[in-house]
Amino acid sequence: MDYVIIGGGIYGAATAFELSKRGAEVLLLEAKEVASGASGGPGRRGVRANGRDLRELPFMRLSYERWPSLHQEIGAPTGYERCGHLLLLERPQDVAAAAAHAWAQAKQGIPTRLVQGQELREMEPQLAEEVLAALYCPLDGVADHTATTRGMAQAAAKLGAQIRQQCAVTRFEVQHGRIQALVTSEDERIAVGKRVLLLSNAHTALALADQFQCTLPVWTMLPQVMLTAPLDPMPIRHLIGHASRVLAIKPHPDGRVMISGGWRGTWNAELERGETVPEQVLGNLAQAQAVYPCLNGIAVDEANAARLETLTIDHIPIIDKIPGVENALFATGWSGHGWAIAPTVSRLLAEWALEDAQPALLHPFSLTRFG
Ligand SMILES: Cc1cc2nc3c(=O)[nH]c(=O)nc-3n(C[C@H](O)[C@H](O)[C@H](O)COP(=O)(O)OP(=O)(O)OC[C@H]3O[C@@H](n4cnc5c(N)ncnc54)[C@H](O)[C@@H]3O)c2cc1C
C-alpha cells in the first residue's frame, strides 16, 4: 500500500480524503472506529480564530474559505454554522489590550473588532453587567465534529481509500531509515510502498518513544464538555469565549447550551476510560452562570470527559517527519484547538506526503523548534 495512515480522527480522515482526491493509493487504519477519539463525542466544536495563537492564524484564514462549502466537497453534512465568536472581556486590563489583539488578528486576515456598550448588549442581551466588552470575529463558527469526521472518511472511501476499523497498529518495521511495514493487533504485516502518516493523536507520542526513541514535549488531558437541559428561547446567540475565565459556551441546535472551555476529567485506570469529576462540573457551570445569570438553576443533562486530547508546552501542535525516518510524518499536540484548522493542515500534510517537501506554512510547527 502506497500511503498508510494511522488514526481515524479528523486528521486521518481528512488527510485520506486529500490524498485520495489527488489519485494516491491510501489505507487508513483505525484502532476502534472512525471518530472514537478527540474528533467524536457530544456537542459541537468551535471553528474559531479569535484568541488563537498567532502562528495558527494563517491556517484559520484558509480554513474560513473551506468550512462553509465543506459539506458540498465531501457530500455529507458538517453542521457548520457561521455564528461569530465573542471573546468576553471582564477586566480593565483585558480591555486595554483588546485593540492590539484586534489589530494583530486583522493583519493575519481574521476580521476582528472590539464591541461594547449598547452594541454588545444587542448582540448578547443576557450577558452579565460585569462584562465590559468583547473581541468579535464574525467569520468564526461551530461544526458537528462527529458528522464531519465520519463524512470525511466516507468521502475518502468513495474516492478509493481503504478504511479499516478495529485495526490497531502495534509495531513498525524499520530498515535503512525507512518504515518498510506495519504490524497490526491481528499480527498482520502491511508493507508500506511510499509513506506512513502517524495521525493517532494520544497514541503518537507513545509510539515515537517506544519505537523510535524520540521524546515529544507532549502529554494528554481529558477536556470536559457539558450540555444543559433545553432552553426556549435559546439565550446564547454566538460562540462564546472568555479572556480571563476558563469558559466556552455554544448554543446547540436542539436548544441545549454547551459549556466547556478547559475544565478536565480524570482517567479511570481500571475501566480504561475518562470520567467527569463533580467539582469540575460545578466549577464550569458556575463560570457560565457568572457570565449568563439566566443559566442559574439550569440542570446539566450530560457531562462528558471521555475523549483524550494532546497538549504541548507551547500550545501549538508538532507536525514533522519522525526523526531518522525518511518516509514517515506525524502530527499531534493540538492543545485543545486542533479541530478548526484541520481542513487546511490535512491538505498541507497530504502535499508534504506527495511532494516530499515541507510546506512553508508548516515550518513553525517543526519538532526542531524545541532545539
Ligand atoms: C472535548 C473536546 C473539545 C474540543 N473543542 C475544540 C474546539 O472547540 N475547537 C477546536 O478547534 N478543537 C477542539 N478540540 C480539539 C480537537 O477536537 C482535536 O484537536 C482533534 O479532533 C484531533 O484530531 P486527531 O485526528 O488528531 O485525533 P483523534 O480524533 O483523537 O484521532 C486519533 C485516532 O487514532 C486512533 N488510534 C490510536 N491509536 C491507534 C493505533 N495504534 N492504531 C490505529 N489507530 C489508533 C484513535 O482510536 C483515534 O480514533 C476539542 C477536543 C476535545 C476532546
Side-chain angles (χ1 to χ4, degrees):
M1 190 53 69
D2 282 349
Y3 294 88
V4 184
I5 297 175
I6 304 168
I10 188 59
Y11 279 93
T15 307
F17 174 68
E18 296 292 343
L19 283 169
S20 304
K21 221 166 56 176
R22 290 159 177 77
E25 185 191 48
V26 176
L27 170 66
L28 185 154
L29 303 170
E30 162 55 47
K32 295 178 180 164
E33 50 189 58
V34 167
S36 58
S39 307
R44 300 204 282 179
R45 293 277 183 267
V47 178
R48 163 189 67 81
N50 211 3
R52 196 173 272 272
D53 190 290
L54 288 182
R55 290 164 290 184
E56 289 187 352
L57 292 183
F59 296 156
M60 272 313 297
R61 187 172 44 74
L62 294 168
S63 296
Y64 273 166
E65 293 168 13
R66 236 25 226 289
W67 273 107
S69 57
L70 195 58
H71 61 290
Q72 288 162 349
E73 217 182 306
I74 64 173
T78 60
Y80 177 72
E81 193 191 325
R82 185 158 267 170
C83 54
H85 182 265
L86 287 165
L87 183 71
L88 305 181
L89 311 171
E90 228 175 300
R91 305 182 307 183
Q93 64 264 41
D94 294 327
V95 180
H101 280 288
W103 180 88
Q105 290 186 177
K107 285 291 266 186
Q108 293 291 332
I110 308 296
T112 310
R113 65 188 177 86
L114 185 63
V115 290
Q116 47 199 334
Q118 186 62 16
E119 185 184 12
L120 178 59
R121 265 45 208 189
E122 278 169 16
M123 291 171 86
E124 283 293 326
Q126 301 291 338
L127 266 184
E129 277 173 21
E130 287 77 8
V131 178
L132 301 172
L135 274 175
Y136 177 49
C137 282
L139 300 187
D140 282 352
V142 291
D144 180 333
H145 48 297
T146 312
T148 307
T149 304
R150 289 181 183 152
M152 197 64 98
Q154 282 157 11
K158 273 192 204 146
L159 290 169
Q162 285 184 44
I163 314 271
R164 283 173 59 183
Q165 303 185 80
Q166 310 299 337
C167 185
V169 172
T170 52
R171 206 158 48 78
F172 300 82
E173 284 181 17
V174 184
Q175 244 186 355
H176 311 303
R178 290 180 68 82
I179 298 180
Q180 308 287 349
L182 307 173
V183 179
T184 72
S185 44
E186 306 283 288
D187 229 16
E188 184 186 355
R189 183 181 181 277
I190 297 171
V192 175
K194 292 190 172 152
R195 209 171 282 274
V196 171
L197 293 110
L198 184 53
L199 305 175
S200 48
N201 204 14
H203 159 261
T204 299
L206 296 173
L208 259 66
D210 277 3
Q211 313 242 343
F212 301 96
Q213 293 72 52
C214 169
T215 304
L216 300 181
V218 164
W219 68 103
T220 55
M221 62 153 172
L222 290 157
Q224 169 186 286
V225 298
M226 303 191 297
L227 285 154
T228 68
L231 287 170
D232 188 14
M234 165 58 70
I236 322 279
R237 298 178 177 175
H238 298 81
L239 173 62
I240 301 294
H242 202 290
S244 53
R245 293 180 186 271
V246 180
L247 182 64
I249 308 181
K250 300 175 183 75
H252 211 255
D254 60 7
R256 298 189 293 171
V257 176
M258 180 177 158
I259 303 172
S260 59
W263 296 74
R264 307 279 162 88
T266 186
W267 186 249
N268 182 328
E270 203 180 316
L271 298 175
E272 291 191 11
R273 66 174 190 212
E275 293 177 348
T276 54
V277 177
E279 304 84 73
Q280 295 280 314
V281 171
L282 291 174
N284 203 172
L285 188 59
Q287 294 285 306
Q289 289 164 338
V291 172
Y292 282 91
C294 61
L295 296 178
N296 278 315
I298 188 93
V300 173
D301 247 12
E302 185 181 354
N304 183 294
R307 308 280 167 161
L308 276 172
E309 169 69 328
T310 45
L311 288 166
T312 59
I313 56 165
D314 55 357
H315 314 294
I316 58 166
I318 308 174
I319 305 169
D320 213 332
K321 280 188 162 178
I322 297 181
V325 181
E326 189 44 46
N327 65 335
L329 300 173
F330 73 93
T332 188
W334 306 107
S335 302
H337 39 82
W339 175 258
I341 57 177
T344 299
V345 175
S346 45
R347 181 171 276 182
L348 295 168
L349 273 167
E351 285 169 11
W352 190 349
L354 288 167
E355 291 157 22
D356 199 19
Q358 183 189 33
L361 279 183
L362 292 180
H363 287 172
F365 303 92
S366 300
L367 182 56
T368 49
R369 74 179 183 267
F370 300 107

